[in-house]
Amino acid sequence: MNLKITLICMALLLLAGCGGGVATKPEASAPKQEAAKPDASKSATAPNRGGYYLDDGPGDNPPANLDDIPDAIPRYEPLQTRFNRPYVALGQNYSPMTEYQPYKARGLASWYGKRYHGNKTSTGEIYDMYSMSAAHPTLPIPSYVRVTNPANGKSVVVRVNDRGPFRKERLIDLSYAAAHRLGIVGNGSGIVEVEAIDTRPPEQAIIPAAAKTPSAKPPVAATGNYVQAGAFRSRANAEQLNERLRQNGLAQDVSMENWYNNGIYRVRLGPYASRDEAERAASNIRQTLGISTLVTTNK
């Protein structure tokens, strides 16, 4: 009898040891988000997540003058072959432009911030989220573009020095500073218009057929101080800016013209009586329209 009881107790102990206690079904957990792949998903802002992707976001100590960070200054930079070779990202083939081409497109812009701040861009430069820069899948590197937010009329000039975004619904990936100036940081993305800026030297620029006659000479500017409010390859875009300047009363007491030279329409106001007066006018235009301006003096 004692042997039978002993055997029963041993069997119960064995079952308890194998089962590890009462078995329960694990609770369903939230889907695990895949970590972003370096240089391939900087722009992968989750559509319903809001301002930024995963652990990206604004810096902990942003500069106090975010609204005053100046636009990138377009200048001629020879294109680097090694930065503009065909490549594959996330299974998609891309063939970057290898020379300047007129480019204008409208689409969704995203931005990237502290997750990539201090890391290398596609050019090997250090990414600064507080500079005016951008990433684009196919525009030449390096190059410059004007990005405009049609919802509020604000625009910035950025330097393209990185590749991305690699999602079909996104057009361009902006630095945090550029996105802030355009007013799209809060939503994480926004519709923008992107237009390439031709920075090639005159001997390489596209010369319109009407300017190829022997008698065609560059115009001579009158003496004085001027404010350049924009530069466009499209005359229609220059005229649109003219109208905005008029509607906002920013062209009072001075003349305004579309100064055409080397295939570019430059929207100029002036002449002003002094450079200080021109600087004040330029500042007023920047604050009212959110665009970059340039003060020049012709002697």
Side-chain angles (χ1 to χ4, degrees):
M1 182 65 178
N2 290 339
L3 178 60
K4 185 176 181 180
I5 293 175
T6 300
L7 290 174
I8 291 173
C9 290
M10 290 179 64
L12 291 173
L13 289 172
L14 182 61
L15 287 173
C18 293
V22 179
T24 59
K25 183 178 180 181
E27 292 294 329
S29 58
K32 182 180 180 181
Q33 288 183 292
E34 182 180 357
K37 299 178 178 65
D39 299 325
S41 60
K42 292 191 289 294
S43 62
T45 306
N48 298 322
R49 184 178 170 83
Y52 48 87
Y53 177 77
L54 293 178
D55 57 347
D56 200 358
D60 295 329
N61 297 295
N65 64 335
L66 269 178
D67 291 317
D68 298 323
I69 293 176
D71 289 0
I73 301 176
R75 62 187 178 89
Y76 173 66
E77 297 183 66
L79 300 183
Q80 302 293 323
T81 302
R82 65 183 183 276
F83 302 145
N84 298 295
R85 292 173 178 153
Y87 65 97
V88 178
L90 301 183
Q92 179 70 34
N93 294 311
Y94 296 91
S95 296
M97 302 176 192
T98 56
E99 61 182 9
Y100 170 80
Q101 298 177 27
Y103 175 91
K104 188 173 183 179
R106 183 185 178 105
L108 194 65
S110 49
W111 61 271
Y112 55 126
K114 67 179 182 181
R115 180 181 175 88
Y116 301 93
H117 185 65
N119 292 342
K120 289 184 178 180
T121 67
S122 296
T123 62
E125 302 169 8
I126 300 302
Y127 171 60
D128 180 0
M129 63 188 286
Y130 302 119
S131 67
M132 289 294 175
S133 64
H136 192 278
T138 58
L139 281 172
I141 287 182
S143 63
Y144 295 82
V145 296
R146 179 177 293 279
V147 185
T148 302
N149 181 349
N152 55 24
K154 295 181 178 180
S155 68
V156 296
V157 175
V158 296
R159 181 172 177 268
V160 178
N161 67 349
D162 205 359
R163 290 294 176 214
F166 300 120
R167 294 178 58 156
K168 292 181 179 179
E169 74 275 13
R170 298 187 186 275
L171 178 65
I172 193 169
D173 221 358
L174 300 168
S175 66
Y176 173 76
H180 174 83
R181 283 269 307 277
L182 290 174
I184 65 173
V185 163
N187 293 329
S189 61
I191 296 296
V192 299
E193 294 175 350
V194 178
E195 184 170 15
I197 298 174
D198 190 354
T199 60
R200 295 171 300 165
E203 61 270 18
Q204 297 183 22
I206 299 172
I207 302 177
K212 291 182 179 179
T213 60
S215 61
K217 297 180 180 179
V220 178
T223 301
N225 300 280
Y226 292 84
V227 174
Q228 179 175 302
F232 308 91
R233 292 195 61 83
S234 167
R235 180 176 180 177
N237 289 341
E239 290 177 347
Q240 286 178 7
L241 179 54
N242 287 347
E243 186 59 28
R244 290 178 63 198
L245 291 166
R246 290 191 190 94
Q247 290 177 353
N248 286 275
L250 297 171
Q252 296 178 354
D253 302 324
V254 293
S255 63
M256 182 169 55
E257 60 185 351
N258 292 342
W259 185 262
Y260 180 80
N261 191 16
N262 288 328
I264 300 294
Y265 294 91
R266 292 176 172 83
V267 179
R268 300 194 330 156
L269 297 87
Y272 292 88
S274 66
R275 187 173 182 88
D276 286 343
E277 186 177 337
E279 292 285 2
R280 287 194 295 271
S283 177
N284 191 23
I285 292 172
R286 284 196 301 271
Q287 293 177 6
T288 303
L289 300 184
I291 62 177
S292 60
T293 57
L294 176 67
V295 175
T296 61
T297 301
N298 298 321
K299 298 180 180 180

